[in-house]
Amino acid sequence: MCSNFAAKDLLFRLSVDSMFGELSGEQAMPRYNSDKPFQIGEFWLSKRPKSDAWYRTWFDSEARQTRRISLGTSDFDEAKQALTDWFVLYHTKTEEAPEETTLAEVFARYYEQYGSKLRSHDNVQRYLRYWLDFHKTATVKEACALHRQQAYRDYLEHELGLGKNSIRQVLTIGKAALNWAWKRGEISSVPYIELVKVPTPPPKGRPLEVEEVATLIDAADYHLKAFILMMVSTTARNRAILDLTFDQIDFRNDLIDLNPKGREQTLKFRPKVKIPETLKPWLTRQREISQTGHVIEFKGAPVKSIRTAWRTLRQATDLDDAVQPYGLRHTMARWLRKSSVPAWEVAAQLGHKSPDVSTTEIYAPFDPSYLFKSTAAIDAFLTEVALHLRYTSISELMLAEIKAIEKQGDNWWFGGDLNSRPHDYESCALTS
């Protein structure tokens, strides 16, 4: 079945129109006869005896028999449209020249088979539409001509009012779709796509001092304390911590696999890191009280965002706007270098490496010396923070938090959003 985007959007309709407008001959043009009331390529519509449903039908030359798949409708016009949609999206082209392939065809298949499955699929859909709003039924070669590219960049800037960063994103998505088609052997080559240059963005949040991290933890509610500690302990990115489940933690070998099972590694590589010794007692207890299997949770549900909670915490501690969650990663990178951790080990801890992992590297985390110096440095940082908060270890602090919450009968707000926590008078009413 085709997605709503493919069936209804300008992108898909253009791909169908351009295909039948640009191509000719037996391969693509629909045909009609009494035995095959509608045919496109090697596929046609048919019905089974005593059935009103229409089927997509073709001859399997290897098995030497006719095969059918139901289109889920008894309406002839709907069946024709369904067959046409399917043919455009899934009829694989082979090494077609850029001057013979329409941009709309490539984009429709890219979105249906790949782009629609991405987390950012809404942006992918919008950016591909920008391409086709301008280029319409142009071939790949026509759309990628240098003068046409310049006109398109001017259109994005002046007609749509996009900034340089947004224009680069739009161009990158179109380029990715063309590369996808080339890698699959659908087009014979990929014309050059010129991207706009953008200034290097400033770091996401400044590094923090030990005292500032202690201040944040001291003022934070339980879920945010847990989030900050996991960010510091793993040097991971925000999303990796919010996604983290206890299934990813190997307590026997003291390992945290920041990349969940089934997630394909990207340029933002998620490595395996060691559990700092001072964190392990609390992390063990947190697993026991977890209701969802996530390390960071609230009211029996995983936490999807800490943006609002972080802003409230920063205001409560009178810290500047440059204090961002991502700054914790910068904080630990700087601390590791100050602690004389080798550059290659810092890179491994932060996940600054290629997604291509050799067989030897797969077993490296089980080596007792794996990330030994970086883990020791992280332990030292956590101890410094705990001492500022008048505890001997960070786990002692967190276990005391759990006991205090349990004693007050406030288990219901373990982790979660600061804005979800009732005011003091509401808490008293709930526990009285």
Side-chain angles (χ1 to χ4, degrees):
M1 295 298 291
C2 300
S3 67
N4 289 336
F5 173 74
K8 299 177 182 178
D9 196 84
L10 167 66
L11 175 62
F12 186 75
R13 290 274 59 83
L14 278 172
S15 70
V16 175
D17 295 342
S18 65
M19 182 175 185
F20 295 127
E22 299 288 336
L23 300 180
S24 61
E26 294 295 311
Q27 181 180 10
M29 295 301 292
R31 302 193 300 273
Y32 300 81
N33 62 50
S34 58
D35 296 328
K36 300 175 182 178
F38 180 80
Q39 180 174 356
I40 177 170
E42 64 270 33
F43 300 91
W44 68 90
L45 293 179
S46 71
K47 288 185 176 182
R48 290 185 180 277
K50 299 181 180 180
S51 173
D52 292 330
W54 287 104
Y55 287 78
R56 171 166 54 87
T57 314
W58 72 101
F59 182 73
D60 187 335
S61 57
E62 292 186 3
R64 299 189 63 79
Q65 59 180 312
T66 300
R67 297 191 182 278
R68 295 182 177 89
I69 292 180
S70 175
L71 294 172
T73 180
S74 58
D75 183 89
F76 180 60
D77 290 333
E78 289 182 2
K80 286 197 301 181
Q81 188 63 64
L83 181 59
T84 302
D85 290 356
W86 181 90
F87 185 84
V88 172
L89 289 172
Y90 295 102
H91 182 69
T92 303
K93 302 297 182 68
T94 304
E95 296 289 330
E96 280 202 329
E99 61 269 22
E100 297 175 348
T101 306
T102 62
L103 198 66
E105 256 189 282
V106 172
F107 285 2
R109 282 196 293 270
Y110 171 79
Y111 184 83
E112 181 70 13
Q113 299 178 37
Y114 181 76
S116 62
K117 300 173 179 61
L118 298 176
R119 176 176 289 180
S120 58
H121 61 88
D122 287 339
N123 288 336
V124 173
Q125 174 182 341
R126 183 167 64 255
Y127 296 161
L128 293 178
R129 188 187 295 114
Y130 290 164
W131 278 80
L132 295 181
D133 283 345
F134 181 82
H135 293 292
K136 302 193 184 306
T137 59
T139 65
V140 171
K141 183 178 181 179
E142 290 169 342
C144 296
L146 291 181
H147 72 278
R148 188 79 172 253
Q149 289 192 47
Q150 182 60 58
Y152 180 49
R153 291 194 295 272
D154 291 342
Y155 165 79
L156 293 174
E157 181 178 2
H158 302 300
E159 295 293 327
L160 299 188
L162 301 184
K164 289 188 179 297
N165 283 297
S166 296
I167 292 173
R168 185 180 178 88
Q169 291 173 2
V170 173
L171 297 176
T172 299
I173 290 297
K175 184 175 182 177
L178 292 171
N179 284 331
W180 176 86
W182 174 71
K183 289 177 181 178
R184 286 165 50 88
E186 295 184 8
I187 56 178
S188 59
S189 62
V190 180
Y192 172 71
I193 304 292
E194 184 178 354
L195 302 178
V196 297
K197 294 182 179 180
V198 296
T200 303
K204 299 178 182 178
R206 65 172 177 83
L208 307 178
E209 301 299 331
V210 172
E211 297 82 0
E212 291 177 311
V213 175
T215 297
L216 288 169
I217 291 176
D218 190 40
D221 276 351
Y222 182 81
H223 87 289
L224 218 45
K225 281 182 168 66
F227 174 81
I228 294 170
L229 289 180
M230 292 307 298
M231 288 285 290
V232 167
S233 300
T234 63
T235 69
R237 296 176 176 85
N238 306 2
R239 177 47 51 190
I241 296 304
L242 295 180
D243 289 344
L244 187 64
T245 67
F246 284 101
D247 289 340
Q248 296 168 242
I249 302 178
D250 180 354
F251 284 91
R252 176 175 295 181
N253 293 295
D254 291 339
L255 289 172
I256 300 175
D257 187 351
L258 293 170
N259 195 50
K261 187 176 181 180
R263 175 187 178 271
E264 184 178 348
Q265 289 282 20
T266 67
L267 293 177
K268 294 183 177 180
F269 190 84
R270 296 189 184 183
K272 287 187 175 72
V273 298
K274 301 289 286 188
I275 303 175
E277 192 63 32
T278 55
L279 190 77
K280 193 173 180 179
W282 165 71
L283 203 55
T284 302
R285 177 67 177 129
Q286 182 69 7
R287 177 176 60 172
E288 295 172 355
I289 64 175
S290 172
Q291 298 180 48
T292 67
H294 279 74
V295 177
I296 313 298
E297 62 177 25
F298 174 64
K299 284 190 175 182
V303 178
K304 294 183 178 180
S305 173
I306 50 87
R307 185 177 301 173
T308 301
W310 185 271
R311 184 169 58 249
T312 305
L313 174 63
R314 188 178 59 227
Q315 293 170 351
T317 54
D318 291 325
L319 292 172
D320 59 88
D321 291 346
V323 175
Q324 299 289 340
Y326 201 88
L328 295 168
R329 181 172 162 88
H330 296 314
T331 300
M332 297 313 298
R334 185 180 66 175
W335 176 269
L336 294 179
R337 293 314 306 271
K338 286 174 62 176
S339 302
S340 300
V341 178
W344 67 266
E345 189 169 330
V346 175
Q349 175 75 42
L350 295 171
H352 291 167
K353 59 178 293 183
S354 168
D356 298 325
V357 182
S358 70
T359 303
T360 303
E361 289 173 310
I362 291 173
Y363 297 103
F366 297 94
D367 187 324
S369 63
Y370 178 71
L371 299 181
F372 178 80
K373 292 184 178 180
S374 61
T375 307
I378 292 170
D379 260 324
F381 185 92
L382 292 171
T383 300
E384 288 276 344
V385 171
L387 291 175
H388 272 84
L389 297 173
R390 301 172 300 281
Y391 287 90
T392 58
S393 74
I394 211 70
S395 277
E396 182 186 0
L397 181 157
M398 294 300 285
L399 292 173
E401 283 281 320
I402 292 174
K403 287 183 179 179
I405 293 170
E406 290 177 335
K407 186 176 181 180
Q408 296 170 11
D410 286 347
N411 298 32
W412 57 270
W413 68 269
F414 270 120
D417 192 303
L418 266 170
N419 295 335
S420 300
R421 188 183 179 189
H423 298 294
D424 291 340
Y425 65 84
E426 292 176 320
S427 298
C428 293
L430 286 169
T431 57
S432 60

